[in-house]
């Protein structure tokens, strides 16, 4: 009852690295998929959105080419990829989903891709999360995967992503599996909810991808308490999401922005996001500068009013502002910034009970180098 | 009938540079002021918003200290500044507006500021636009001013700004004057409209300031055709706005994003903005990389649908995408990027008649250096 994987080389990545992954599930599984809300979608996303009807048997993922911005050829190529996988594995074509990630606007060498599918399907082995993440990675500097086991309940998954990260639904490519049995209507609700608090609450560069896809797949083996499944799926999803931020292009540290005691949740969320994505906050963290003025300027920039004479700003445990300045706390906050790999910024709005947490990374010279030199 | 200015030194800027400017108008003038929509506003903005009733006689502007995030003391200090100017110039206190720009969260040394006001008011001379811009500048690398004369009509102004630029109304500090006589209701409408197409259509770093203020002041000397006044005011305002972008922290070039043939204007505007503020587009321009995939990914990220099989993308005159890829155009676009100080990106949505233009600057190593090293 293992998930099987096959790996191929289509020459999409330089140096002949593996760039094609086929995943075969033990049977047709109930699943939920969320795709980018970007209107300029990858043809692979358009294809998978069209064929997915709540159940999936196999997935084919290529890296190094986004299959995006290539006109209607992209749709044909996605369909050919699904068809070839279905033929080789003798399964239904409409139970095969297609995912792509890489450079936008590069025509897909479809012959090479189909050959790579043939060899991937010819040698299937048990799913290795680390290896699967490596095969689908592009600018990632480390593989992203996680596994939790609580009693008999298992949740595990892998992801890729480092740049063009500002998900508006699922992020980049992420696949989370559980042995728990989830009904179709339940899995979708659970999936959307967890997605909002994990992949939809991270940003590297404020840039929404054309290829984001996040799948949650139920292997249907275990009747388990829904609350427990939900917690385990959220744990794995958040772990993968945070790994993407940690690997943010050029990033040296993770920024965790926690907004608490807001009157409504949307307000907490938009303020947390505004602070987390601010270039000025991100460069200040890189410069180890406890410049809370940039934090409150970002917090004030959403459509929601805030009371500047009431709110409190913390960096770690250091209270920097509460309607008045605390010059002594600046020095201890500076030390905190120098010593912390994960920098926690807390805004206490002092007005209600709602909260939200958003994750991003700092903005560094290396982000500029990576993205100025990453040529078309 | 000259506008007079006085300059003082309050020690807010390093090296004893002039940091305080008093402007005295020849009489009480009809004017319109737009202030930042940031909810964490400078106390000077809060004060000026409260006292301004459509007419102004004098303005006092300090640089080097934002008078922001300092609690209720900030309001007291703004009022003291206005009161001192009114006393020295023997004018009404509620016709004096106060503006501040500089670091957030630094207490204002109000004694020094009041002394600087005394010396500024003690030696008034005719307004020198270049000098005025220099006095109010912070991280600016050059003064920003412009003057147009059409027949007897005169419009002129000055501004400051280089970082924390993503105006949501007026930008940073900008003051535009005209000798034309404009009624109160007319000037406000004209002002808002022109502001949307000029200061509200620029971005350096996507970060909304706490101190943005843009004033349009009618000296009331000349009856002139409104259309002509409007054009001249827009010309000067756009010139100042573009200078701010040109001086964007670390910027090497101006990016002009033109979205045309949209079904509605808001759509053109949001798409132009999304492309102009995208970190990935901005780093690509810095890297002289005609990476149009990042342009369409940004264009697709707004709430408005776009048809990826129909839209056209140009860099300068080079057609890079129109539902299909044009590999040959990439080379000529690369040459265009290497040679142009102002890079024009055009998206033709091919669906209607509305258009919008948005200006930003590229994102460079120097932006990181300036903002990682700019300590609190």
């Amino acid at each position: 009852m293992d998930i099987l994987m096959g790996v191929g080389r289509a020459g999409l990545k330089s140096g002949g690295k593996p760039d094609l992954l086929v995943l075969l599930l033990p049977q047709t599984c109930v699943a939920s998929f969320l795709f980018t809300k970007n209107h300029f979608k990858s043809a692979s996303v358009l294809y998978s959105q069209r064929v997915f009807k709540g159940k999936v048997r196999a997935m084919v993922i290529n890296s190094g080419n986004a299959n995006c911005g290539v006109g209607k050829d992209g749709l044909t190529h996605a369909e050919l990829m699904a068809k070839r996988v279905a033929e080789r594995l003798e399964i239904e074509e409409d139970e095969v989903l297609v995912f792509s990630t890489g450079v936008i606007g590069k025509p897909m060498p479809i012959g090479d891709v189909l050959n790579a599918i043939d060899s991937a399907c010819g040698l299937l082995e048990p799913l290795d999360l680390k290896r699967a993440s490596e095969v689908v990675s592009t600018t990632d500097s480390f593989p992203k995967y996680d596994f939790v086991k609580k009693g008999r309940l298992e949740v595990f998954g892998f992801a890729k992503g480092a740049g063009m990260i500002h998900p508006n639904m699922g992020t980049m490519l992420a696949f989370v599996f559980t042995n728990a049995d989830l009904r179709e209507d339940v899995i979708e609700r659970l999936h959307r909810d967890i997605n909002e608090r994990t992949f939809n609450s991270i940003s590297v560069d404020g840039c929404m991808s054309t290829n984001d896809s996040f799948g949650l797949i139920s292997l249907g083996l275990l009747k388990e308490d829904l609350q427990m499944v939900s917690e385990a799926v959220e744990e794995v999803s958040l772990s993968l999401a945070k790994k993407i931020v940690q690997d943010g292009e050029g990033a040296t540290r993770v920024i965790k922005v926690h907004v608490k005691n807001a009157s409504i949740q949307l307000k907490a969320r938009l303020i947390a996001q505004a602070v987390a994505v601010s270039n000025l906050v991100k460069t200040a963290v890189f410069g180890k500068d406890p410049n809370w003025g940039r934090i409150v300027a970002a917090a004030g920039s959403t459509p929601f009013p805030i009371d500047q004479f009431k709110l409190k700003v913390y960096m770690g445990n250091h209270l920097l502002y509460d309607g008045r300045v605390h010059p002594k706390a600046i020095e201890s906050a500076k030390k905190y910034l120098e010593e912390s790999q994960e920098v926690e910024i807390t805004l206490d709005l002092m007005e209600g009970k709602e909260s939200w947490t958003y994750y991003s990374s700092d903005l560094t010279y290396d982000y500029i180098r990576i993205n100025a030199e990453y040529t078309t």
Side-chain angles (χ1 to χ4, degrees), chain A:
Chain A
M1 287 301 279
D2 268 339
I3 299 172
L4 299 178
M5 67 183 253
V7 171
R9 289 175 167 80
L12 306 172
K13 280 187 189 171
S14 61
K17 275 180 261 177
D19 50 21
L20 190 123
L21 181 72
V22 172
L23 289 179
L24 178 65
L25 301 171
Q27 76 285 337
T28 302
C29 289
V30 168
S32 171
F33 279 87
L34 294 168
F35 299 98
T36 183
K37 287 204 179 108
N38 197 311
H39 295 292
F40 201 98
K41 285 178 173 57
S42 158
S44 300
V45 165
L46 291 173
Y47 175 81
S48 293
Q49 264 186 324
R50 178 160 61 74
V51 302
F52 180 66
K53 300 277 182 299
K55 297 214 163 85
V56 63
R57 182 69 200 278
M59 291 172 275
V60 51
I61 308 152
N62 77 269
S63 178
N65 186 313
N67 195 24
C68 180
V70 288
K72 301 205 169 163
D73 284 353
L75 294 171
T76 311
H77 291 163
E79 190 175 345
L80 285 171
M81 289 167 72
K83 197 188 284 280
R84 184 66 72 107
V85 169
E87 280 168 16
R88 294 290 152 189
L89 301 178
E90 298 178 351
I91 57 177
E92 296 298 320
E93 187 182 325
D94 61 0
E95 291 179 4
V96 180
L97 299 183
V98 181
F99 304 89
S100 301
T101 177
V103 179
I104 297 169
K106 228 166 70 174
M108 183 88 87
I110 188 65
D112 297 339
V113 170
L114 296 180
N115 288 338
I117 289 175
D118 288 347
S119 55
C121 293
L123 183 63
L124 296 174
E125 51 196 335
L127 172 61
D128 172 339
L129 294 170
K130 177 166 181 283
R131 172 93 169 127
S133 175
E134 282 165 356
V135 173
V136 300
S137 285
T138 49
T139 59
D140 306 58
S141 66
F142 59 83
K144 296 164 182 75
Y145 56 98
D146 203 10
F147 184 102
V148 302
K149 192 165 162 57
K150 297 186 176 187
R152 292 165 58 220
L153 172 65
E154 295 178 3
V155 178
F156 50 97
F158 67 96
K160 63 89 43 178
M164 205 177 264
I165 300 287
H166 185 79
N168 190 6
M169 55 68 300
T171 189
M172 303 311 298
L173 301 185
F175 303 96
V176 173
F177 307 84
T178 175
N179 61 351
D181 187 24
L182 294 168
R183 284 208 330 261
E184 264 185 66
D185 57 333
V186 171
I187 197 171
E188 196 182 313
R189 207 159 1 114
L190 184 85
H191 189 203
R192 283 184 188 279
D193 181 47
I194 288 172
N195 175 58
E196 291 305 324
R197 289 196 302 274
T198 58
F199 293 105
N200 265 12
S201 289
I202 63 171
S203 182
V204 166
D205 48 16
C207 298
M208 192 201 300
S209 158
T210 52
N211 290 52
D212 284 349
S213 304
F214 169 29
L216 174 62
I217 295 128
S218 159
L219 300 172
L221 302 175
L222 186 78
K223 295 285 171 202
E224 185 56 88
D225 172 63
L226 189 60
Q227 182 62 29
M228 197 166 151
V229 176
S230 172
E231 282 170 17
V233 171
E234 182 159 343
E235 187 179 333
V236 170
S237 302
L238 185 60
S239 160
L240 296 175
K242 284 184 71 174
K243 284 183 169 70
I244 288 175
V245 169
Q246 193 190 334
D247 195 23
E249 288 167 341
T252 68
R253 45 201 66 198
V254 170
I255 305 173
K256 176 179 178 179
V257 182
H258 184 60
V259 173
K260 65 182 190 183
N261 298 324
S263 52
I264 62 170
Q265 200 179 57
L266 180 65
K267 178 171 179 175
R269 180 175 178 165
L270 289 188
I271 291 176
Q273 176 177 311
V275 172
V277 307
S278 160
N279 278 352
L280 287 173
V281 172
K282 287 153 71 79
T283 47
V285 169
F286 173 56
K288 304 178 183 71
D289 178 11
N291 193 333
W292 59 271
R294 295 180 180 178
I295 296 170
V296 293
S301 71
T302 82
F304 289 101
I306 54 175
D307 185 344
Q308 65 167 287
F309 300 110
K310 212 163 75 175
L311 77 88
K312 296 182 179 176
V313 179
Y314 298 84
M315 201 166 271
N317 296 319
H318 310 284
L319 175 64
L320 296 178
Y321 177 82
D322 60 353
R324 61 188 63 221
V325 188
H326 295 272
K328 280 182 194 159
I330 296 289
E331 278 315 301
S332 50
K334 196 166 170 52
K335 196 144 176 282
Y336 168 76
L337 279 177
E338 279 158 6
E339 291 167 357
S340 309
Q341 277 311 302
E342 179 169 309
V343 170
E344 188 161 347
I345 293 168
T346 304
L347 284 115
D348 185 342
L349 302 187
M350 305 281 289
E351 62 178 33
K353 292 180 178 307
E354 299 294 334
S355 64
W356 198 271
T357 304
Y358 205 99
Y359 297 87
S360 69
S361 50
D362 57 347
L363 182 60
T364 72
Y365 295 109
D366 275 350
Y367 181 84
I368 307 293
R369 184 183 56 71
I370 293 164
N371 284 295
E373 292 178 5
Y374 184 80
T375 55
T376 43

